[in-house]
Amino acid sequence: MTLNWLGLFPESVKRMLLNLPSELLEHVEEVRIREERPLEINSQGRYHFLDRNGGLTLRPEEAYKPTREDTHRLLDLISNHSLYTMEEELRKGFITIPGGHRVGLAGRTVLSGGKVEHIRDISGFNVRIAKEIRGAADEMLPHLLDRKRKRVMHTLILSPPQHGKTTLLRDLARQISYGQWGAGTVRWPGMKVGIVDERSEIAGCQRGVPGFDVGPRTDVLDGCPKAEGMMMMIRSMSPDVLIVDEIGRAEDAEAVVEALHAGISVIATAHGSSVQDMRGRPALSGLIENRMFEMYAVLSRTGDARSFKLYDGGQRTLQSAPSGPPGGDAYA
């Protein structure tokens, strides 16, 4: 069990987390720290408050309430003692730290010209723990293959937040890049994969080097805006498969179309509970109406049980299956 992420927290909070039962600690997905308000964790979709001894409680009045010293120390740790160097991240409302972990921030926004310039008086943190789950794509990947043309189909993966889209993308990249994954009786060679990792979550790069195993034939553009990054990948790295997380803007859709016209397979994710949700988003509706994607995968979750449904470009149901590696964790 890898718990390197515990080093993100001040000692007071770290001690409480270490007192959790090992099975629960291993599956922590979020730690929510709010100054002078109850300390909360999310493990396998279940939320609990923590008391000062690391015990679980559903009663907020029994929970430990992080102090100003706790929150200041946490901010110091996640910013590597240099908050002023992270102005761009503060403008977006989150910081991505080594290991691909993402820390959402809440506080007082400072505006300039009607737009958020940065956040000050930060008192709320949502630490989302990134996990590498080998085999997360085992059930889905065989359905995304065009066997006649020996290619991966253009695929859009949909789900609400915290359903495992990024973990799934990470394993799809790894398996496609390595090759030798089962496809019936045929075993395909590895393909060139390009990842545009705007928030540094998919590959978890540190100084440009992926912290997660995303495959031997994978190139990563880290911290690059999605639309610009997709065009850069097309021009310079000639990927067979382009992977990008959470498209949503008009320029993202335009870049997807350019990639498809260039003969590159695209696997992307977006927030939504159904393909119909995408029809209501002006920036993405054209991709749906023009059937730019050949396959849609909709993820769902009930507690710690995950599943997916597959639809073709005409949104006909093709497959429904549990997600995640056999006998192991699903997406995180």
Side-chain angles (χ1 to χ4, degrees):
M1 177 173 60
T2 301
L3 297 175
N4 294 339
W5 54 268
L6 285 169
L8 304 173
F9 297 96
E11 283 299 318
S12 56
V13 176
K14 181 179 177 179
R15 283 195 299 270
M16 295 175 212
L17 293 170
L18 283 171
N19 282 336
L20 291 171
S22 59
E23 183 177 352
L24 188 147
L25 180 60
E26 183 178 1
H27 294 95
V28 168
E29 299 172 19
E30 295 179 321
V31 179
R32 292 179 175 264
I33 294 179
R34 306 171 175 103
E35 188 174 310
E36 299 299 339
R37 286 166 291 168
L39 175 62
E40 186 179 33
I41 64 166
N42 168 15
S43 181
Q44 294 183 299
R46 298 182 178 90
Y47 288 85
H48 299 276
F49 297 118
L50 264 63
D51 65 26
R52 64 176 53 254
N53 296 314
L56 302 178
T57 179
L58 296 177
R59 298 171 62 87
E61 63 272 17
E62 296 176 352
Y64 176 76
K65 297 177 176 59
T67 65
R68 175 160 295 187
E69 181 180 351
D70 291 329
T71 57
H72 283 190
R73 178 58 179 157
L74 175 59
L75 189 58
D76 197 34
L77 288 169
I78 64 176
S79 65
N80 197 25
H81 313 286
S82 185
L83 190 61
Y84 76 92
T85 64
M86 313 196 84
E87 290 184 2
E88 183 61 31
E89 288 89 343
L90 293 176
R91 187 177 298 117
K92 294 178 180 178
F94 64 87
I95 296 174
T96 304
I97 52 183
H101 310 298
R102 182 177 176 184
V103 184
L105 306 170
R108 180 187 177 194
T109 60
V110 178
L111 304 181
S112 177
K115 296 183 179 180
V116 175
E117 183 69 21
H118 61 90
I119 302 177
R120 60 179 296 181
D121 300 330
I122 297 171
S123 61
F125 305 79
N126 177 22
V127 182
R128 294 179 59 178
I129 309 303
K131 296 180 180 179
E132 183 175 41
I133 302 179
R134 291 172 180 265
D138 283 356
E139 294 292 332
M140 185 180 295
L141 181 55
H143 301 288
L144 308 184
L145 307 178
D146 182 338
R147 290 170 173 79
K148 289 184 178 179
R149 293 188 285 174
K150 292 288 185 181
R151 54 181 287 277
V152 177
M153 288 188 277
H154 310 311
T155 303
L156 181 63
I157 300 168
L158 303 170
S159 83
Q162 209 65 22
H163 279 53
K165 296 186 294 297
T166 303
T167 304
L168 176 60
L169 275 188
R170 189 179 297 128
D171 198 56
L172 284 168
R174 181 185 66 84
Q175 294 200 40
I176 293 169
S177 179
Y178 271 105
Q180 301 305 307
W181 19 266
T185 59
V186 180
R187 298 179 74 82
W188 291 3
M191 298 180 178
K192 293 177 293 181
V193 176
I195 297 176
V196 181
D197 200 0
E198 182 171 359
R199 294 188 308 262
S200 305
E201 289 185 297
I202 303 173
C205 284
Q206 299 183 47
R207 296 185 178 181
V209 178
F212 294 114
D213 182 2
V214 290
R217 306 188 70 203
T218 298
D219 300 297
V220 182
L221 275 175
D222 182 52
C224 183
K226 287 183 279 288
E228 186 175 355
M230 283 188 272
M231 299 309 300
M232 291 172 65
M233 276 288 183
I234 293 169
R235 290 192 295 263
S236 62
M237 303 307 293
S238 64
D240 300 311
V241 180
L242 191 57
I243 288 180
V244 60
D245 204 3
E246 294 187 15
I247 60 172
R249 300 172 299 177
E251 52 265 40
D252 298 340
E254 292 171 5
V256 167
V257 172
E258 287 294 325
L260 302 188
H261 287 164
I264 298 169
S265 297
V266 175
I267 302 178
T269 68
H271 285 309
S273 299
S274 68
V275 181
Q276 284 301 116
D277 286 351
M278 298 300 100
R279 293 181 181 275
R281 299 177 64 178
L284 301 182
S285 60
L287 296 176
I288 311 301
E289 297 298 333
N290 294 316
R291 297 195 179 187
M292 302 306 294
F293 289 105
E294 300 164 281
M295 190 72 69
Y296 298 97
V298 180
L299 311 183
S300 59
R301 173 178 185 175
T302 303
D304 60 353
R306 325 271 181 123
S307 61
F308 65 86
K309 289 185 178 180
L310 295 176
Y311 304 85
D312 66 11
Q315 295 113 62
R316 293 176 301 177
T317 304
L318 298 178
Q319 181 77 21
S320 181
S323 63
D329 292 315
Y331 317 140

